[in-house]
Amino acid sequence: MRSHNGTDAETLEEQIEEVMLETELTDEAYEELASLEDSVVIGVSFWDSSVADDPDESLPDDAQREVIDLDLYLEDNVTLELYGAMLYKSPEAEPLVGVEAMEQALVAMVDAESLLDQVAETDDARLALIFTANDEPVLIIAAGGWSISEWDEL
């Protein structure tokens, strides 16, 4: 579900400062993320802008957007906040382009009751999360930054 909260750059920067944003997949960060493997994705929200957007340039239009910020709501009240995220249908695929395509992929991931199957690292040292349903890959999300928190209600 698309969120219109925090869409101006100042607000996003303030929000980022309020959370502990991880950008490097250290052994400790990997262990924390790996503890979430096999968690079911029960909800998602995303923003119409990203902390990865260049504040000196105009925002890409929805049809051209490749990078988003999103929250994945996992079972056991865990929120995985992902920043500067790109979505892929497979390891060989190009990233999804356009808000509509990304939204469809995220909704399909939730509807399929996908699991966070594997935590990995991309060739360019970004976090990669592999989601599966019925032992089949559903979506891969590569993110430049992340944080983990708890949610009370969806």
Side-chain angles (χ1 to χ4, degrees):
M1 174 173 292
R2 187 173 187 174
S3 172
H4 296 283
N5 294 334
T7 56
D8 77 32
E10 255 185 39
T11 304
L12 282 173
E13 288 173 9
E14 290 170 0
Q15 289 174 352
I16 294 301
E17 289 175 8
E18 292 176 12
V19 296
M20 176 68 100
L21 181 64
E22 300 283 343
T23 58
E24 186 178 337
L25 194 56
T26 62
D27 290 342
E28 185 177 293
Y30 175 82
E31 286 178 27
E32 182 179 25
L33 289 162
S35 73
L36 301 175
E37 289 179 347
D38 297 326
S39 295
V40 176
V41 180
I42 59 173
V44 65
S45 62
F46 66 94
W47 289 265
D48 6 1
S49 61
S50 170
V51 297
D53 292 336
D54 186 341
D56 295 329
E57 295 186 18
S58 61
L59 294 176
D61 65 29
D62 284 354
Q64 300 303 313
R65 181 162 285 285
E66 292 183 21
V67 178
I68 59 173
D69 295 345
L70 63 127
D71 290 345
L72 295 176
Y73 302 101
L74 307 177
E75 63 187 344
D76 297 328
N77 299 70
V78 174
T79 304
L80 186 51
E81 302 167 32
L82 302 173
Y83 302 95
M86 299 177 84
L87 284 57
Y88 301 83
K89 289 290 197 165
S90 73
E92 302 82 26
E94 293 294 317
L96 295 177
V97 177
V99 170
E100 187 175 325
M102 290 187 279
E103 183 175 24
Q104 288 174 356
L106 290 167
V107 168
M109 178 180 68
V110 173
D111 288 349
E113 298 179 352
S114 298
L115 300 175
L116 172 54
D117 187 62
Q118 185 178 359
V119 175
E121 188 173 36
T122 65
D123 292 338
D124 58 351
R126 292 170 51 103
L127 170 65
L129 303 171
I130 302 166
F131 296 89
T132 61
N134 301 317
D135 296 322
E136 294 295 322
V138 173
L139 194 64
I140 299 168
I141 302 176
W146 69 92
S147 68
I148 299 171
S149 61
E150 293 184 11
W151 54 268
D152 295 322
E153 291 182 25
L154 289 182

Short mmCIF file of all heavy atoms in Angstrom, two decimals, residues 4-26:
data_model
loop_
_atom_site.label_atom_id
_atom_site.label_comp_id
_atom_site.label_asym_id
_atom_site.label_seq_id
_atom_site.Cartn_x
_atom_site.Cartn_y
_atom_site.Cartn_z
N HIS A 4 1.61 8.27 1.62
CA HIS A 4 1.95 9.63 1.25
C HIS A 4 2.57 10.38 2.42
O HIS A 4 2.76 11.59 2.36
CB HIS A 4 0.71 10.38 0.74
CG HIS A 4 0.18 9.77 -0.51
ND1 HIS A 4 0.75 9.97 -1.75
CD2 HIS A 4 -0.85 8.91 -0.72
CE1 HIS A 4 0.08 9.30 -2.67
NE2 HIS A 4 -0.88 8.64 -2.06
N ASN A 5 2.89 9.66 3.48
CA ASN A 5 3.53 10.28 4.64
C ASN A 5 4.98 10.59 4.33
O ASN A 5 5.66 9.84 3.66
CB ASN A 5 3.50 9.33 5.84
CG ASN A 5 2.11 9.08 6.33
OD1 ASN A 5 1.23 9.92 6.14
ND2 ASN A 5 1.89 7.94 6.94
N GLY A 6 5.47 11.69 4.87
CA GLY A 6 6.89 12.00 4.77
C GLY A 6 7.39 12.15 3.36
O GLY A 6 8.45 11.63 3.03
N THR A 7 6.67 12.87 2.51
CA THR A 7 7.11 12.95 1.12
C THR A 7 8.00 14.14 0.84
O THR A 7 8.55 14.23 -0.24
CB THR A 7 5.91 12.98 0.16
OG1 THR A 7 5.07 14.08 0.51
CG2 THR A 7 5.13 11.68 0.21
N ASP A 8 8.19 15.06 1.77
CA ASP A 8 9.14 16.12 1.46
C ASP A 8 10.51 15.77 2.04
O ASP A 8 10.63 15.03 3.00
CB ASP A 8 8.64 17.50 1.90
CG ASP A 8 8.76 17.79 3.39
OD1 ASP A 8 9.68 17.28 4.02
OD2 ASP A 8 7.93 18.56 3.90
N ALA A 9 11.56 16.24 1.39
CA ALA A 9 12.93 15.81 1.70
C ALA A 9 13.29 16.09 3.15
O ALA A 9 13.92 15.27 3.80
CB ALA A 9 13.91 16.49 0.76
N GLU A 10 12.93 17.24 3.69
CA GLU A 10 13.28 17.54 5.07
C GLU A 10 12.66 16.52 6.02
O GLU A 10 13.32 16.04 6.93
CB GLU A 10 12.79 18.94 5.45
CG GLU A 10 13.88 19.96 5.50
CD GLU A 10 13.35 21.28 5.98
OE1 GLU A 10 12.50 21.33 6.88
OE2 GLU A 10 13.78 22.28 5.42
N THR A 11 11.41 16.21 5.83
CA THR A 11 10.74 15.26 6.70
C THR A 11 11.40 13.89 6.61
O THR A 11 11.62 13.25 7.63
CB THR A 11 9.25 15.14 6.34
OG1 THR A 11 8.66 16.44 6.40
CG2 THR A 11 8.53 14.22 7.28
N LEU A 12 11.76 13.44 5.42
CA LEU A 12 12.44 12.15 5.28
C LEU A 12 13.77 12.15 6.02
O LEU A 12 14.10 11.20 6.72
CB LEU A 12 12.67 11.82 3.81
CG LEU A 12 11.46 11.29 3.04
CD1 LEU A 12 11.79 11.17 1.57
CD2 LEU A 12 11.00 9.97 3.60
N GLU A 13 14.54 13.22 5.87
CA GLU A 13 15.83 13.29 6.56
C GLU A 13 15.63 13.27 8.07
O GLU A 13 16.38 12.61 8.78
CB GLU A 13 16.58 14.55 6.13
CG GLU A 13 17.10 14.47 4.71
CD GLU A 13 17.70 15.78 4.22
OE1 GLU A 13 17.86 16.71 5.04
OE2 GLU A 13 18.00 15.86 3.02
N GLU A 14 14.61 13.97 8.56
CA GLU A 14 14.34 13.96 9.99
C GLU A 14 13.94 12.57 10.45
O GLU A 14 14.36 12.11 11.52
CB GLU A 14 13.24 14.96 10.32
CG GLU A 14 13.67 16.40 10.16
CD GLU A 14 12.51 17.39 10.25
OE1 GLU A 14 11.35 16.95 10.45
OE2 GLU A 14 12.76 18.58 10.12
N GLN A 15 13.15 11.86 9.64
CA GLN A 15 12.73 10.51 10.00
C GLN A 15 13.94 9.58 10.05
O GLN A 15 14.03 8.74 10.94
CB GLN A 15 11.71 9.97 8.99
CG GLN A 15 10.37 10.64 9.10
CD GLN A 15 9.43 10.17 8.00
OE1 GLN A 15 9.82 9.46 7.09
NE2 GLN A 15 8.18 10.59 8.10
N ILE A 16 14.86 9.71 9.11
CA ILE A 16 16.04 8.86 9.07
C ILE A 16 16.90 9.09 10.31
O ILE A 16 17.43 8.15 10.89
CB ILE A 16 16.87 9.11 7.79
CG1 ILE A 16 16.08 8.66 6.57
CG2 ILE A 16 18.22 8.42 7.84
CD1 ILE A 16 15.69 7.22 6.58
N GLU A 17 17.02 10.33 10.74
CA GLU A 17 17.82 10.63 11.91
C GLU A 17 17.23 10.01 13.17
O GLU A 17 17.95 9.73 14.11
CB GLU A 17 17.96 12.14 12.07
CG GLU A 17 18.86 12.77 11.03
CD GLU A 17 18.91 14.28 11.12
OE1 GLU A 17 18.36 14.85 12.08
OE2 GLU A 17 19.49 14.90 10.21
N GLU A 18 15.90 9.79 13.19
CA GLU A 18 15.24 9.24 14.36
C GLU A 18 15.46 7.74 14.51
O GLU A 18 15.26 7.19 15.59
CB GLU A 18 13.74 9.52 14.29
CG GLU A 18 13.40 10.98 14.44
CD GLU A 18 11.90 11.23 14.27
OE1 GLU A 18 11.12 10.26 14.26
OE2 GLU A 18 11.54 12.40 14.15
N VAL A 19 15.82 7.05 13.46
CA VAL A 19 16.00 5.61 13.52
C VAL A 19 17.47 5.27 13.32
O VAL A 19 18.23 6.06 12.78
CB VAL A 19 15.17 4.87 12.44
CG1 VAL A 19 13.69 5.08 12.67
CG2 VAL A 19 15.57 5.28 11.06
N MET A 20 17.86 4.12 13.80
CA MET A 20 19.22 3.66 13.61
C MET A 20 19.30 3.04 12.22
O MET A 20 18.82 1.94 11.99
CB MET A 20 19.58 2.62 14.66
CG MET A 20 20.95 2.03 14.46
SD MET A 20 22.26 3.20 14.76
CE MET A 20 22.70 2.71 16.39
N LEU A 21 19.85 3.77 11.28
CA LEU A 21 19.92 3.31 9.90
C LEU A 21 21.22 2.55 9.67
O LEU A 21 22.30 3.07 9.88
CB LEU A 21 19.84 4.50 8.94
CG LEU A 21 19.88 4.20 7.46
CD1 LEU A 21 18.66 3.37 7.07
CD2 LEU A 21 19.90 5.48 6.66
N GLU A 22 21.08 1.30 9.24
CA GLU A 22 22.23 0.46 8.91
C GLU A 22 22.50 0.59 7.42
O GLU A 22 21.57 0.58 6.62
CB GLU A 22 21.94 -1.00 9.25
CG GLU A 22 21.63 -1.28 10.70
CD GLU A 22 22.86 -1.28 11.58
OE1 GLU A 22 23.98 -1.39 11.05
OE2 GLU A 22 22.69 -1.20 12.80
N THR A 23 23.75 0.69 7.05
CA THR A 23 24.10 0.78 5.64
C THR A 23 25.19 -0.22 5.25
O THR A 23 25.50 -0.36 4.07
CB THR A 23 24.58 2.19 5.26
OG1 THR A 23 25.70 2.53 6.07
CG2 THR A 23 23.47 3.22 5.44
N GLU A 24 25.75 -0.89 6.23
CA GLU A 24 26.82 -1.85 5.97
C GLU A 24 26.43 -3.21 6.54
O GLU A 24 26.03 -3.31 7.71
CB GLU A 24 28.12 -1.37 6.62
CG GLU A 24 29.31 -2.22 6.30
CD GLU A 24 30.58 -1.67 6.94
OE1 GLU A 24 30.65 -0.48 7.26
OE2 GLU A 24 31.52 -2.48 7.12
N LEU A 25 26.55 -4.24 5.75
CA LEU A 25 26.17 -5.58 6.18
C LEU A 25 27.34 -6.22 6.94
O LEU A 25 28.06 -7.06 6.41
CB LEU A 25 25.72 -6.43 4.99
CG LEU A 25 25.00 -7.73 5.31
CD1 LEU A 25 23.78 -7.48 6.18
CD2 LEU A 25 24.61 -8.44 4.04
N THR A 26 27.51 -5.79 8.17
CA THR A 26 28.54 -6.35 9.04
C THR A 26 28.09 -7.73 9.50
O THR A 26 26.92 -8.12 9.31
CB THR A 26 28.76 -5.46 10.27
OG1 THR A 26 27.52 -5.42 11.02
CG2 THR A 26 29.18 -4.06 9.87
#
